[in-house]
DNA sequence: AAAAAGTATTTCAAGCTCAAAACATTTTTG
DNA sequence: CAAAAATGTTTTGAGCTTGAAATACTTTTT
């Protein structure tokens, strides 16, 4: 293969990847917008709040602020405000860590657990509706493709 | 098929779709974060600014504010601030629409066009790198899957 | 034990995002 | 033609997001 045809082939794949990215962004944003809207309408809440609750629900003992922002892959300062508001609403509590006066543990309250259970059930139904075009093998296959992208990201 | 096994099948596909969504979100956010970081480092800019410039670059005659927010699928008020800052930087201009004193047209300046050309070239290379796992047929196939999701959204 | 380095969290400033309200102008309607 | 409805944009208030700086505490080094 000549350098010339090589360049042509690379460029065509490159365009296809760009198109892929634009579609990926569009459909992800669309689903996100719909979820945000429903969370607002049905529960008076937001996606970031849901994400924090989901993370905490997987750690019954609670998470330190830094661990929480690590799990969610958002900045430290970001989580502070969301947790502040969730605490105001009685969804989470901050607990001092015994041996370390710098750290605080964040835990779902009982009310928070119950609220998350309700919201998570609705969330699963919504996803089922929004991604209903995919049957089980397709969904599993696509999930694998995304894992490939994510792994590529992590290896940087 | 009994009602019982029906429920089981639906539930398994449902779980697969939920997993798919979580992976889709994770990888899209990862690529977005990387693009945002590079745009910040290399061009001192942001993704929303890039999106506005990209939209305007496809309409040489300019777009009305409402058309711009329509194309980008974000709220009206949102675009106002981004365009304000792009105008401050000499990237875009607002032009009064002759027959309608309510409306303004937003256009890329020459400087804006040149800047967008530079950024778009870098952007395409970045995508090529970040999604490099997919060859042309794969990328095209996946893009088709996302189109299905987007079309489903639009039909709501 | 004092100094230095490291860790955990919050604060800050800037920008993005939305929905809703306000404002201005144009078009339609009674 | 005047009132009402529709259209185009900006403002407002609340919340999310980031990176960087500030604060507080702990561990390590000298």
């Amino acid at each position: 293969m000549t350098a010339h045809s090589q360049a042509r082939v690379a460029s065509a794949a490159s365009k296809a990847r760009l198109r892929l990215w634009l579609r990926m962004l569009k459909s992800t944003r669309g689903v996100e917008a719909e979820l945000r809207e429903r969370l607002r309408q049905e529960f008076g809440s937001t996606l970031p709040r849901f994400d924090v609750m989901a993370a905490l629900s997987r750690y019954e003992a609670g998470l330190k602020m830094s661990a929480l922002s690590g799990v969610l892959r958002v900045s430290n300062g970001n989580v502070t405000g969301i947790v502040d508001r969730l605490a105001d609403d009685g969804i989470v509590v901050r607990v001092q860590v015994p041996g370390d006066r710098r750290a605080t543990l964040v835990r779902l309250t009982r009310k928070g657990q119950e609220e998350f259970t309700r919201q998570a059930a609705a969330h699963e139904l919504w996803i089922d509706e929004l991604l209903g075009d995919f049957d089980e093998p397709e969904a599993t296959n696509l999930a694998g493709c995304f894992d490939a992208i994510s792994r590529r990201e992590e290896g940087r």
Side-chain angles (χ1 to χ4, degrees), chain A:
Chain A
M1 190 184 258
T2 65
H4 177 247
S5 61
Q6 175 77 55
R8 269 201 301 115
V9 169
S11 176
S14 175
K15 296 290 178 200
R17 286 183 199 119
L18 186 55
R19 261 197 308 280
L20 166 58
W21 169 242
L22 296 175
R23 308 274 164 99
M24 191 169 152
L25 198 53
K26 186 180 178 191
S27 58
T28 302
R29 281 183 178 171
V31 172
E32 250 187 298
E34 188 64 28
L35 291 177
R36 186 178 31 239
E37 173 68 7
R38 294 185 185 191
L39 229 28
R40 194 177 72 90
Q41 295 283 353
E42 307 285 325
F43 299 109
S45 191
T46 67
L47 223 30
R49 285 168 63 107
F50 182 79
D51 289 344
V52 166
M53 290 166 77
L56 292 179
S57 79
R58 294 200 301 276
Y59 296 88
E60 193 145 0
L63 279 175
K64 288 200 269 186
M65 288 298 282
S66 47
L68 188 49
S69 60
V71 168
L72 296 174
R73 306 187 150 280
V74 298
S75 65
N76 274 352
N78 186 357
V79 175
T80 299
I82 299 172
V83 167
D84 282 351
R85 283 179 287 274
L86 286 175
D88 287 347
D89 295 348
I91 302 290
V92 305
V93 273
R94 287 189 226 244
V95 186
Q96 280 301 311
V97 172
D100 189 340
R101 279 187 299 177
R102 296 167 302 183
T104 55
L105 228 45
V106 187
R107 276 200 305 104
L108 281 180
T109 60
R110 171 163 289 279
K111 176 183 173 189
Q113 288 170 42
E114 284 165 4
E115 188 57 30
F116 177 68
T117 300
R118 289 201 314 135
Q119 294 186 11
H123 180 264
E124 191 171 334
L125 286 179
W126 297 339
I127 294 300
D128 210 40
E129 173 191 345
L130 296 168
L131 301 188
D133 282 335
F134 305 108
D135 61 21
E136 197 191 335
E138 280 175 329
T140 302
N141 176 46
L142 283 175
C145 290
F146 290 122
D147 254 3
I149 299 175
S150 295
R151 271 197 303 279
R152 200 183 173 86
E153 281 158 15
E154 278 156 21
R156 234 191 345 258

